[in-house]
């Protein structure tokens, strides 16, 4: 995957690091764009994943009915017997490898990803999360989703999320309170926008904070204002946290 240096994303990322409303935690996020053009070790990774699938397929042939189970399994990308489905898995793993160069995600399986119902759902979820923890006014007025839309065309995207287990979490050592990882994939552009974010505790305050406060503290600090990136066309997806989401 080839990293794309997007100036608007660099500016957005400066606003995606901020203390939460309570002051006990810190949010760290970033948005990155990648071309699906092979780069670096991508070809080696693709061959590895293809060989792994074929080896699993051969092994399953002697284990009926497991063979039928493997060949008929529908992943978030479609049946893995189809090359296009396996290529999508490769794209997401390659994106993670590029975004976290100190980690190797080649052992991930398709069932560790989820295909989201729509980009609108993801926008609501991300904005709700950021607003609840007190995102700065600079981020609210940054036209974040317009900037992302300019790069990826959100209406044409398939969206996938990745929730790592303990062994495959690049943020595991930080012990995040929460994290999210979303991939916005535009097949026509052959491009992915990766939006990753986590919330970590301030180390000097962890000992005096209960587990319940650690998880829910920011949600109870103060009411969340309803304005959401008001200069953006995505301001139509305005939120009312107390009364739920509305379009």
């Amino acid at each position: 995957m080839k990293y794309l240096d997007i100036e608007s994303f660099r500016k957005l990322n400066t606003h995606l690091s901020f203390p939460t409303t309570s002051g006990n935690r810190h949010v760290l996020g970033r948005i990155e764009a990648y071309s699906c053009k092979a780069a670096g070790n991508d070809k080696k990774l693709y061959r590895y994943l293809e060989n792994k699938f074929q080896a699993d397929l051969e092994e399953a042939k002697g284990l009926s009915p497991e063979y039928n189970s493997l060949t008929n399994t529908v992943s978030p990308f479609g049946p893995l017997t189809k090359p296009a489905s396996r290529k999508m898995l490769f794209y997401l793993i390659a994106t993670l490898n590029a975004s976290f160069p100190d980690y190797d995600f080649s052992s991930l399986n398709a069932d560790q990803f989820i295909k989201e119902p729509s980009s609108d759902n993801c926008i609501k979820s991300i904005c709700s999360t950021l607003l609840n923890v007190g995102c700065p006014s600079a981020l609210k007025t940054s036209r974040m989703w317009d900037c992302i839309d300019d790069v990826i065309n959100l209406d044409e995207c398939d969206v996938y999320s990745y929730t790592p287990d303990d062994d495959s979490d690049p943020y595991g050592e930080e012990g995040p309170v929460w994290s999210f990882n979303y991939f916005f994939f535009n097949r026509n552009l052959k491009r992915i926008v990766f939006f990753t974010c986590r919330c970590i505790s301030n180390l000097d305050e962890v000992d005096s904070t209960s587990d319940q406060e650690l998880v829910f503290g920011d949600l109870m600090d103060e009411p969340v204002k309803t304005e959401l990136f008001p200069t953006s066309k995505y301001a139509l997806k305005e939120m009312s946290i107390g009364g739920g989401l509305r379009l």
Side-chain angles (χ1 to χ4, degrees):
M1 306 294 285
K2 182 180 179 181
Y3 173 75
L4 303 176
D5 186 10
I6 309 294
E7 182 180 1
S8 61
F9 284 9
R10 283 191 274 113
K11 292 180 179 178
L12 285 173
N13 289 341
T14 63
H15 302 312
L16 282 169
S17 175
F18 58 89
T20 61
T21 306
S22 68
N24 294 333
R25 287 160 286 283
H26 203 91
V27 173
L28 298 168
R30 54 191 162 94
I31 306 170
E32 298 173 339
Y34 292 90
S35 165
C36 294
K37 181 179 180 180
N41 293 322
D42 287 346
K43 292 182 179 180
K44 181 179 179 181
L45 172 64
Y46 183 71
R47 287 195 299 270
Y48 169 81
L49 294 175
E50 283 292 286
N51 291 337
K52 181 177 181 294
F53 175 77
Q54 294 301 328
D56 291 343
L57 202 60
E58 288 297 320
E59 182 180 355
K61 285 181 179 179
L63 301 173
S64 184
E66 285 82 358
Y67 173 66
N68 290 331
S69 175
L70 178 62
T71 56
N72 292 329
T73 296
V74 177
S75 74
F77 323 114
L80 290 178
T81 50
K82 294 185 177 181
S85 301
R86 301 195 300 276
K87 193 66 170 288
M88 190 67 244
L89 174 62
F90 157 73
Y91 284 150
L92 299 191
I93 291 177
T95 299
L96 287 171
N97 278 348
S99 187
F100 300 97
D102 294 334
Y103 292 83
D104 180 8
F105 296 89
S106 59
S107 62
L108 295 185
N109 296 315
D111 60 7
Q112 292 178 268
F113 297 91
I114 296 173
K115 185 174 184 179
E116 300 294 334
S118 69
S119 59
D120 281 354
N121 283 10
C122 295
I123 290 171
K124 294 175 188 177
S125 177
I126 291 171
C127 290
S128 177
T129 299
L130 295 179
L131 285 170
N132 266 310
V133 295
C135 69
S137 58
L139 184 59
K140 294 178 183 179
T141 59
S142 65
R143 298 180 58 249
M144 181 173 75
W145 291 108
D146 277 351
C147 293
I148 294 174
D149 186 56
D150 288 343
V151 172
I152 200 69
N153 194 341
L154 289 164
D155 289 339
E156 295 182 0
C157 284
D158 291 326
V159 186
Y160 301 92
S161 60
Y162 167 57
T163 303
D165 55 28
D166 292 340
D167 294 330
S168 59
D169 188 356
Y171 300 136
E173 293 183 0
E174 296 177 334
V177 178
W178 54 259
S179 65
F180 62 71
N181 304 278
Y182 287 105
F183 306 82
F184 297 83
F185 173 63
N186 188 310
R187 191 176 302 275
N188 294 326
L189 296 176
K190 294 185 177 179
R191 183 177 293 178
I192 287 177
V193 164
F194 179 49
F195 195 151
T196 181
C197 192
R198 79 274 195 194
C199 179
I200 60 174
S201 299
N202 295 333
L203 295 180
D204 58 345
E205 306 210 13
V206 170
D207 293 339
S208 60
T209 304
S210 70
D211 290 341
Q212 186 175 11
E213 290 172 333
L214 198 63
V215 176
F216 299 109
D218 290 314
L219 300 182
M220 298 183 290
D221 280 339
E222 62 181 40
V224 176
K225 297 180 181 179
T226 58
E227 69 265 20
L228 176 62
F229 314 116
T231 61
S232 168
K233 71 179 182 181
Y234 285 94
L236 293 175
K237 296 174 174 56
E238 184 183 0
M239 296 183 181
S240 176
I241 302 300
L245 302 174
R246 65 176 186 272
L247 291 179

